[in-house]
Amino acid sequence: MTCYRPLGAEWRLACTAPGAATRPDELSDTLDWIGAPVPGTAAQALRAAGRWIEAEPAPLHEKDIWYRTNFPGSGRRVLRFNGLATLAEVWLNGRSILVSDNMFLAEEIEVDLEGENELFVAFRSLDAELARRKGRARWRTALVANNALRHVRTTLLGHMIGWQPPIHAVGPWRSIDILEPAGTLQLRAADVRATLDGADGVVEVTLQVVSRGGTSPVHLEVGGKSEPLRWTGEDRLEGRLRLRDVRKWWPHTHGEPFLYPARVLVGEIEIDLGRIGFRSIEIDRGSDGRGFGFRLNGQSVFARGACWSAADLVTLAADRAVLLPWLQQARDSHMNMIRVAGTMTYESDDFFALCDELGILVWHDFMFASMDYPIGDPAFRASVEREAQQFLSRARSHPSLALLCGGSEIAQQAAMLGLPPTLWSSPLYDEILPGIANSLCPDVPYLAQSPEGGDLPFRTDAGVSHYYGVGAYRRPLEDARRAGVRFASECLALANTGAGPPQASELIPHDRGADWDFVAVRDHYMGQLYGVDAARARAEDSAHYLRLARAVSGEVMEAVVAEWRRPASPCEGALVWMLKDLGPGPGWGVIDWTGVPKLAWHALRRAFRPIQVVLSDEGLNGLGVHVINDTAAPLRARLLLICLQAGDVVTMRRECEVELPAHGARTLSTAEIIGSFFDVTYAYRFGAPALDVAAVTLSDASTGARLAEAAHYPLGRAGLAHDPGLSATLEQDETGWSVVVQATRFAPCIQVEAPGHRGAEEGFFLLPGERRRMVLVPTGEREGRPTGQIVSVAPQRDRTASVRFS
């Protein structure tokens, strides 16, 4: 889109002790220089050279790390540094041209080149700088060990003990570019804004250009319509274009994320401005003013998704090729929102462009979290203001940008320390950031902090909460309703076990200072839901324990999301902590660090379906059967309720037709469906239970295609005592391998165990006599004909069934 190109064909890196050289000419001739990618990090370069390993990451903040390159060129040029992590000094041909102390800032420097040029960038020791920092905070953070980090604008990745390996972000993590002269008109920067005005779309464009051919006519073209741009300076073009009755951009769960290509025409020269979308977005606080929900194009949207970390913790790469597999898997699991929390980094233009295309909303925090930042320092404030302005100037053109948030868990941290409300706030979140956001992004809602709402900032029944009642606090599943959650911008952190046996290098996530970890949390729910002593199960049969561990996370997530999606729930959104792991082991991610979905991902894929049926135990009132249609088309479906005993004895069966409008929902009771008394929840307990499972399926009324299903176990999963009678047949066609699996009796929680392959769908149940084709997806570990087994997991080891295929 712009006329910048990467600077330097070859970069090299060397490490020194802190302060060993103040300038390039003081560097020792004996330094050992190694190749280094730019953009990239020091950890990335050192790993490639065999001098640093992820499993046991050596600290990098205790060193000075130098980069150097040579490049040709003469005359006046512009160098652009898109991100230097974090305390950086730059020399060109022996002259200092830049000092930077904010990894989130881009810097442009005009320079005079001398034919053969040499560039040095020194990244100074962060540890040494933090040791010099003075000044007490109003309160201390529990998130990181060194409270002095609040003075430095750097990511908290690598500093949050117990969250991920201590991999330090050092180096030119974003590109270093040069503006080269070429052609009569070059685009230096583009600001494109697309807004809705009733049914019309309005595009406003400001271009910063380098013109060598005078002020020739320039036109903006969007959606087949063209309007001239006017010269408002020798290097500035501006214009406005209106499109009548535009197609709106929607999250993919509720419609089509339609995008219009935009370009600038200068004679026969075409400058691509990317693709734009038109949508309106607002926050609905509910009739009581205590709620929090998104309205897109006037329609309420239940936001569901996960919190983002980084595509690659070592490289911090954020280009399209690296990001696409992760974001595609988010979309494939029916997520329609990703939250970038204040503990991470500002995301790239490619990240937003992909979310635009995939129909994923982006909740983006500014990079502040759990610390009392020194906003009274004029230099710090000025740096933060530039940081916010730069980020919003490039992000605001994207229809996927749904919310801007001042930061994460700042007020919560202070409040949980018992400090008074006067210490919960700051001009940073309450004045500075909202002022910049309202100026640059008036059509994007702003939230001061997450969580926020109620008489305590972390109350769950007002505004936005980080809900870990079910999760870290080990509350029963019923707490998801009892807590009255309005919007969970973080929730359901569990140690989600992936495929394969545990490895010695695995990191188990835990909160700093806690005497428990998140495996203990998961094991708690194994006992609560399955009646299984996790420690005993692990000791007696580790393979069975791991199957249960994979299953329980998904079942907890599926149950909580089902509760929140029922029409009568006050909840308007749920973002799981997190999308992907930051390292090997049973991390918070629903996708492991290599990109393989866990059973929890499959559970969320079912829970987040745009067309969905969920069940809720309403006690003496039976089951609530909730049918949801988020799509833009009306729904006509067949609903089947079947109650089973001993896995294949049908004690009740009813069918009915359900019709819903677009973006509609309906709740039916089982009494309404059945038409007479039947103790489907075993609440009245008149004699022996008439069932051990109640299942509901929803199918397209015209084609019979299965749309969704749900099951309820009135006696708990441990009440399933039958053999499901599994069979499996391996088949191959032009698309690859699949297994056709069948059960003679009800079969819960189907898992695939096949080295080198995973199931495209796992964790579902089979009704008696039901056949399902399971596509096997290669994981790259092994080639050739798949071998393995299909497992139906039950809490009791002797009731878990498996069948081999080969």
Side-chain angles (χ1 to χ4, degrees):
M1 191 166 100
T2 67
C3 47
Y4 287 92
R5 67 167 179 82
L7 176 70
E10 182 181 352
W11 286 84
R12 303 191 71 76
L13 171 153
C15 302
T16 72
T22 60
R23 299 174 49 84
D25 55 15
E26 296 177 4
L27 290 168
S28 169
D29 294 336
T30 61
L31 278 181
D32 184 13
W33 293 89
I34 63 173
V38 174
T41 65
Q44 178 182 2
L46 291 166
R47 181 179 63 181
R51 303 182 186 186
W52 184 94
I53 57 173
E54 251 171 296
E56 300 176 9
L60 299 179
H61 286 319
E62 64 184 21
K63 313 171 186 294
D64 283 358
I65 297 178
W66 291 78
Y67 280 72
R68 67 187 294 180
T69 192
N70 295 86
F71 63 98
S74 300
R76 199 73 166 168
R77 297 288 189 276
V78 175
L79 300 184
R80 181 177 176 87
F81 302 85
N82 288 296
L84 303 174
T86 291
L87 307 174
E89 300 176 60
V90 183
W91 291 266
L92 175 65
N93 298 328
R95 296 188 298 273
S96 175
I97 61 170
L98 174 65
V99 176
S100 175
D101 61 359
N102 186 333
M103 76 172 282
F104 304 125
L105 282 181
E107 302 281 2
E108 288 193 353
I109 309 294
E110 290 193 358
V111 297
D112 291 306
L113 302 184
E114 301 173 354
E116 288 299 323
N117 305 279
E118 187 173 44
L119 189 77
F120 281 86
V121 185
F123 294 93
R124 298 302 187 183
S125 165
L126 184 60
D127 286 351
E129 175 63 20
L130 295 180
R132 291 191 290 267
R133 290 287 185 172
K134 305 297 180 184
R136 295 184 61 184
R138 296 179 299 173
W139 45 269
R140 294 184 63 84
T141 182
L143 181 64
V144 299
N146 193 337
N147 197 56
L149 274 169
R150 69 193 186 95
H151 292 283
V152 182
R153 297 304 298 137
T154 193
T155 180
L156 295 184
L157 287 170
H159 297 279
M160 296 172 288
I161 298 171
W163 281 34
Q164 79 282 310
I167 296 171
H168 296 157
V170 181
W173 70 296
R174 293 290 183 256
S175 65
I176 299 176
D177 302 323
I178 185 170
L179 177 63
E180 292 278 23
T184 59
L185 185 73
Q186 291 178 283
L187 180 62
R188 187 166 177 177
D191 182 14
V192 183
R193 293 193 60 209
T195 56
L196 272 176
D197 183 12
D200 296 348
V202 177
V203 185
E204 297 174 286
V205 171
T206 301
L207 305 180
Q208 298 290 333
V209 300
V210 178
S211 176
R212 294 177 178 81
T215 55
S216 55
V218 180
H219 286 79
L220 170 67
E221 186 177 284
V222 179
K225 185 173 182 180
S226 178
E227 288 286 347
L229 298 181
R230 65 184 185 279
W231 289 92
T232 57
E234 64 179 19
D235 60 356
R236 184 182 178 92
L237 284 158
E238 295 183 31
R240 190 171 187 267
L241 181 150
R242 177 180 289 269
L243 288 175
R244 301 292 183 185
D245 296 319
V246 293
R247 295 177 64 177
K248 296 175 182 176
W249 183 94
W250 289 91
H252 73 97
T253 50
H254 287 68
E256 181 184 1
F258 190 83
L259 296 170
Y260 288 84
R263 61 178 183 168
V264 168
L265 300 174
V266 188
E268 295 182 356
I269 300 173
E270 176 183 325
I271 300 175
D272 183 12
L273 297 181
R275 296 196 287 171
I276 60 175
F278 300 97
R279 57 98 183 98
S280 67
I281 187 164
E282 56 188 337
I283 299 301
D284 183 358
R285 290 288 183 174
S287 58
D288 61 358
R290 293 167 60 85
F292 189 92
F294 288 90
R295 290 184 66 85
L296 268 292
N297 305 323
Q299 174 64 48
S300 293
V301 169
F302 186 90
R304 63 274 203 166
C307 296
W308 178 254
S309 49
D312 189 311
L313 189 59
V314 174
T315 69
L316 295 181
D319 58 273
R320 185 182 183 91
V322 169
L323 291 167
L324 180 58
W326 301 106
L327 294 176
Q328 183 66 60
Q329 288 192 90
R331 188 189 190 281
D332 289 348
S333 65
H334 308 302
M335 295 184 183
N336 63 16
M337 179 171 278
I338 292 288
R339 175 180 170 224
V340 182
T343 47
M344 310 303 171
T345 66
Y346 293 102
E347 269 308 326
S348 66
D349 296 342
D350 281 351
F351 180 91
F352 282 102
L354 282 169
C355 289
D356 292 345
E357 296 169 21
L358 296 171
I360 300 174
L361 298 163
V362 178
W363 167 318
H364 208 302
D365 289 6
F366 291 93
M367 291 301 111
F368 301 96
S370 299
M371 289 191 279
D372 183 29
Y373 291 93
I375 200 60
D377 178 345
F380 185 90
R381 175 170 178 156
S383 182
V384 164
E385 288 174 343
R386 285 188 64 209
E387 171 187 316
Q389 289 163 357
Q390 285 189 4
F391 166 59
L392 295 184
S393 293
R394 64 181 178 82
R396 66 176 180 169
S397 65
H398 295 279
S400 57
L401 181 61
L403 185 89
L404 296 166
C405 181
S408 175
E409 295 191 350
I410 302 102
Q412 171 178 300
Q413 179 83 98
M416 283 189 163
L417 291 171
L419 300 174
T422 54
L423 298 183
W424 300 354
S425 61
S426 165
L428 176 59
Y429 324 108
D430 300 333
E431 300 170 19
I432 297 169
L433 293 177
I436 296 171
N438 291 335
S439 173
L440 294 178
C441 300
D443 60 330
V444 178
Y446 175 86
L447 181 72
Q449 300 184 41
S450 180
E452 179 186 86
D455 47 7
L456 287 171
F458 46 84
R459 278 193 68 115
T460 59
D461 60 356
V464 171
S465 63
H466 292 182
Y467 174 77
Y468 295 115
V470 177
Y473 307 140
R474 292 180 252 197
R475 305 285 294 171
L477 296 188
E478 292 79 10
D479 191 72
R481 180 180 294 197
R482 188 182 303 128
V485 175
R486 310 302 286 266
F487 192 104
S489 56
E490 293 180 15
C491 63
L492 293 172
L494 295 164
N496 299 311
T497 298
Q503 305 296 318
S505 61
E506 291 185 346
L507 175 70
I508 297 174
H510 65 276
D511 283 333
R512 183 169 176 258
D515 60 359
W516 49 270
D517 59 36
F518 283 82
V519 165
V521 172
R522 185 197 65 210
D523 287 352
H524 166 82
Y525 288 102
M526 190 182 296
Q528 187 178 95
L529 271 65
Y530 301 159
V532 171
D533 182 321
R536 182 175 178 180
R538 186 189 302 113
E540 292 182 350
D541 190 335
S542 60
H544 181 64
Y545 167 78
L546 289 173
R547 289 167 178 165
L548 292 177
R550 296 184 191 108
V552 71
S553 293
E555 185 169 348
V556 168
M557 292 181 180
E558 204 166 354
V560 170
V561 173
E563 165 59 38
W564 288 343
R565 286 193 71 188
R566 64 186 179 87
S569 170
C571 186
E572 295 289 344
L575 307 179
V576 172
W577 186 265
M578 315 183 60
L579 179 65
K580 63 178 293 289
D581 287 340
L582 290 167
W588 288 311
V590 297
I591 307 172
D592 77 17
W593 72 304
T594 68
V596 176
K598 305 179 187 178
L599 213 66
W601 179 90
H602 292 279
L604 288 181
R605 188 168 185 259
R606 292 188 294 273
F608 288 162
R609 285 179 288 215
I611 297 175
Q612 174 69 316
V613 61
V614 300
L615 301 175
S616 62
D617 188 339
E618 303 298 334
L620 297 178
N621 294 319
L623 287 176
V625 181
H626 314 282
V627 185
I628 302 160
N629 176 28
D630 283 343
T631 73
L635 172 69
R636 189 168 68 89
R638 295 292 298 175
L639 187 145
L640 167 67
L641 168 66
I642 184 169
C643 299
L644 299 169
Q645 197 173 56
D648 61 351
V649 178
V650 178
T651 57
M652 176 59 66
R653 180 188 176 99
R654 292 289 187 274
E655 288 190 72
C656 63
E657 189 165 290
V658 178
E659 293 189 9
L660 289 177
H663 310 306
R666 179 183 174 188
T667 295
L668 301 89
S669 69
T670 45
E672 178 184 357
I673 297 170
I674 295 170
S676 61
F677 173 72
F678 186 81
D679 193 5
V680 69
T681 56
Y682 195 50
Y684 291 88
R685 298 180 182 270
F686 296 153
L691 73 165
D692 48 37
V693 60
V696 170
T697 65
L698 192 71
S699 304
D700 186 274
S702 299
T703 66
R706 177 76 62 84
L707 301 173
E709 67 278 317
H712 174 71
Y713 307 94
L715 308 179
R717 276 194 183 271
L720 301 179
H722 59 271
D723 180 348
L726 289 180
S727 61
T729 305
L730 182 66
E731 296 184 354
Q732 184 183 27
D733 60 20
E734 65 277 3
T735 63
W737 294 97
S738 60
V739 174
V740 176
V741 59
Q742 186 171 1
T744 58
R745 287 171 287 278
F746 182 86
C749 195
I750 300 296
Q751 299 184 24
V752 177
E753 296 177 358
H757 290 82
R758 63 175 179 85
E761 183 181 9
E762 295 189 46
F764 57 87
F765 63 78
L766 291 172
L767 292 174
E770 183 179 1
R771 299 173 75 250
R772 188 173 298 196
R773 182 178 300 276
M774 302 178 63
V775 174
L776 297 180
V777 180
T779 60
E781 301 170 16
R782 183 183 298 181
E783 297 181 359
R785 184 184 180 91
T787 60
Q789 60 184 346
I790 302 295
V791 182
S792 174
V793 180
Q796 302 88 344
R797 178 177 46 172
D798 59 348
R799 296 177 187 171
T800 292
S802 65
V803 58
R804 296 200 63 81
F805 63 86
S806 60

